[in-house]
Amino acid sequence: MGAKRLDGKALGLKIEARLAERVAALKDAGVEPHLAVVLAGNDPASHVYVRNKQRACERCGIKSTRIDLPNDVSQDQLMQVVMDLNADDSVHGILVQSPTPTGTDELEITAAINPAKDVDGFHPVNLGRLVMGQTDGLLPCTPAGVMQMLNDAEIDLVGKKAVVIGRSRIVGMPLALLLAQKGIDATVTIAHSRTEDIADICRSADLVVAAVGRPATVKADWIKPGATVIDVGINRVADESRENGSRLAGDVEPAAAEVAGHITPVPGGVGPMTISMLMTNTVRAAEANF
Amino acid sequence: MGAKRLDGKALGLKIEARLAERVAALKDAGVEPHLAVVLAGNDPASHVYVRNKQRACERCGIKSTRIDLPNDVSQDQLMQVVMDLNADDSVHGILVQSPTPTGTDELEITAAINPAKDVDGFHPVNLGRLVMGQTDGLLPCTPAGVMQMLNDAEIDLVGKKAVVIGRSRIVGMPLALLLAQKGIDATVTIAHSRTEDIADICRSADLVVAAVGRPATVKADWIKPGATVIDVGINRVADESRENGSRLAGDVEPAAAEVAGHITPVPGGVGPMTISMLMTNTVRAAEANF
């Protein structure tokens, strides 16, 4: 294990402790930061995610309200819930837990959220601001968490090669924009399932970000010695040695830790940072509103 | 001159001829596509650009209205002009010629345009849709023009390496997103002024796009034999052999044409395509409205 572990859980708690101070200041001024979480249907993983987010709110002193909707909620009903939350001045952040039930249009719902309350950072206006180099707004949480981890570890990317594997609207694309922005100045390659020579491309990179959603996709021998490896994947894989028969695994082969200079663990790496960035966005939204 | 020239002027005229048919159909249905161009100040280059855009409107049968404003127009006045055009149902496209006068905030003006009338494709909502992989809306004109030229020349980029040099909100960033999208599937590297080893990065690429704004920045020996070279630069350089003492030059060294498989000339390459894409967006906006 040559690589230094980038501990997202510890950094996330540090960030949340600083947020708690900002929340206290807002409360002193008569504003109670308030996150509304909309949870439609009964996907067990979604329930776990929402519970984790509400616990983070408690740690920061942020009020959270959960709106439970049945699995057969209609698009119109979901849109109406969002409209009501947009109109509610006591609500600073709105999060509609993904995925929304079959038959609903998640992108339409995302676009209906007031961009100033879009604490997931998924609204087209907030993504568009990244294309424009405007990074002072509500940033998508996972990419923002990755940037915070790189910053905290003082990893200088100016002129260096970064490869982002995955081109989703949630992680890959916005993270590529953030890494290429002025002031960070990485030379960023967006790679994906159709990329040829992915191993060689990774071997030339000082930073490899894996956001593909398949366990152990990035091999240890793809990593340049000393490079930084950020593993965004959270995959459940079979493991008979565990009581429940499974464990979480990242998108990167564990042996990459022998080669890399810095690496994020799974779990305990990017995952907790994503939640801390959600808290950051909620406090930002409350401060902007105030 | 080994490379095949990608003739943007000819392709642009072909596209405009097809648009003229769509315009005629709209007029038959009682809708006259209408572009409003706001020109503030007396920058000579801006006047040339606006004239060229209005001429393209004439070729397509699109009505164009030019709103001239003084160089000392205030931000509030400019914003009011945009609001009035947003509210005017007879106007389908709004273009505020860049740059707006010193002291005005161009990004605020861009964000004030109704996204459905944003025929430049610069509104954050329209840029954000690119991050989301939604490319059926109003696309920024220069990147869209580059994509059309690649498509017309049947250049297959699936899995291939593309390098975009330049990270502006107008060209580099949105073009990188378009090249990386599903269905195009290039492996895209965003390079810029801080990039190390730019020559080597280009030498490995099947497509090099230069959007830096400095003449002859990309050297002939950076190009892999047979690669496609797209030159977005339009730079005025001294040339004593010319009557007016200058000529237009691209960002790519002319000798690159000896090495490349395909190359765009300057002038007559990307420039005319940008205008044809503006016309395309205006017709799209009118059709969507109808």
Side-chain angles (χ1 to χ4, degrees), chain A residues 167 180 185-186 188-190 192, chain B residues 167 180 185-190 192:
Chain A
R167 53 182 160 173
D185 293 316
V188 181
T189 298
I190 305 167
H192 45 76
Chain B
R167 52 180 162 175
D185 294 315
T187 300
V188 181
T189 298
I190 305 167
H192 45 76

Side-chain angles (χ1 to χ4, degrees), chain B residues 34-37 85 90-95 116-119 281-282 285-286:
Chain B
H34 182 190
L35 173 67
V37 181
L85 292 170
S90 82
V91 171
H92 305 104
I94 303 170
L95 182 154
K117 296 188 179 188
D118 166 43
V119 287
N281 277 344
T282 305

Side-chain angles (χ1 to χ4, degrees), chain A residues 40-82:
Chain A
N42 35 31
D43 179 57
S46 290
H47 277 257
V48 172
Y49 294 141
V50 166
R51 191 160 58 235
N52 288 341
K53 289 167 187 176
Q54 291 198 283
R55 280 187 188 146
C57 284
E58 282 169 31
R59 290 195 296 271
C60 297
I62 295 170
K63 177 181 172 184
S64 75
T65 302
R66 183 171 130 185
I67 295 125
D68 286 297
L69 297 171
N71 199 49
D72 63 353
V73 66
S74 72
Q75 179 74 7
D76 285 351
Q77 286 168 324
L78 253 175
M79 292 289 277
Q80 190 55 53
V81 168
V82 168

Side-chain angles (χ1 to χ4, degrees), chain A residues 154-175:
Chain A
E154 297 182 349
I155 292 166
D156 178 17
L157 293 170
V158 176
K160 298 283 180 284
K161 287 183 189 164
V163 176
V164 177
I165 313 176
R167 53 182 160 173
S168 73
R169 69 184 170 93
I170 310 282
V171 184
M173 291 297 211
L175 182 55

Side-chain angles (χ1 to χ4, degrees), chain A:
Chain A
M1 293 292 277
K4 186 162 183 284
R5 259 170 60 106
L6 297 174
D7 186 337
K9 191 169 176 190
L11 178 58
L13 289 173
K14 211 166 83 182
I15 289 169
E16 289 175 12
R18 287 198 299 260
L19 287 175
E21 293 171 20
R22 286 160 67 182
V23 169
L26 281 164
K27 285 182 178 169
D28 282 348
V31 176
E32 183 175 29
H34 182 189
L35 173 66
V37 182
V38 179
L39 178 53
N42 35 31
D43 179 57
S46 290
H47 277 257
V48 172
Y49 294 141
V50 166
R51 191 160 58 235
N52 288 341
K53 289 167 187 176
Q54 291 198 283
R55 280 187 188 146
C57 284
E58 282 169 31
R59 290 195 296 271
C60 297
I62 295 170
K63 177 181 172 184
S64 75
T65 302
R66 183 171 130 185
I67 295 125
D68 286 297
L69 297 171
N71 199 49
D72 63 353
V73 66
S74 72
Q75 179 74 7
D76 285 351
Q77 286 168 324
L78 253 175
M79 292 289 277
Q80 190 55 53
V81 168
V82 168
M83 294 305 170
D84 291 345
L85 293 170
N86 282 343
D88 184 343
D89 287 340
S90 82
V91 170
H92 305 104
I94 303 170
L95 183 154
V96 179
Q97 180 63 41
S98 177
T100 58
T102 312
T104 59
D105 180 342
E106 193 166 330
L107 292 184
E108 191 191 23
I109 294 159
T110 299
I113 296 172
N114 176 350
K117 297 189 179 188
D118 167 43
V119 287
D120 258 338
F122 295 161
H123 191 285
V125 159
N126 288 322
L127 293 176
R129 297 181 87 250
L130 303 184
V131 182
M132 303 168 79
Q134 299 182 327
T135 55
D136 57 343
L138 298 176
L139 307 177
C141 297
T142 300
V146 171
M147 297 308 291
Q148 285 286 331
M149 294 179 92
L150 294 170
N151 179 61
D152 185 69
E154 297 182 349
I155 292 166
D156 178 17
L157 293 170
V158 176
K160 298 283 180 284
K161 287 183 189 164
V163 176
V164 177
I165 313 176
R167 53 182 160 173
S168 73
R169 69 184 170 93
I170 310 282
V171 184
M173 291 297 211
L175 182 55
L177 296 169
L178 286 170
L179 289 166
Q181 73 177 295
K182 281 180 189 162
I184 303 296
D185 293 316
T187 301
V188 181
T189 298
I190 305 167
H192 45 76
S193 55
R194 306 301 299 266
T195 293
E196 295 171 4
D197 305 326
I198 181 72
D200 278 344
I201 291 171
C202 287
R203 275 183 205 115
S204 77
D206 304 291
L207 169 66
V208 174
V209 180
V212 287
R214 276 196 319 276
T217 304
V218 173
K219 309 302 177 192
D221 70 358
W222 296 8
I223 304 303
K224 180 165 85 171
T228 301
V229 177
I230 304 283
D231 191 346
V232 180
I234 303 181
N235 311 290
R236 190 158 285 283
V237 297
D239 183 345
E240 293 189 1
S241 74
R242 302 292 175 104
E243 204 172 329
N244 66 354
S246 73
R247 63 182 165 83
L248 293 179
D251 290 346
V252 179
E253 212 178 39
E258 315 285 341
V259 190
H262 292 82
I263 196 164
T264 59
V266 176
V270 175
M273 286 300 294
T274 297
I275 293 184
S276 299
M277 292 302 105
L278 175 68
M279 299 300 110
T280 301
N281 277 344
T282 304
V283 174
R284 270 194 189 183
E287 287 172 344
N289 187 267
F290 169 63

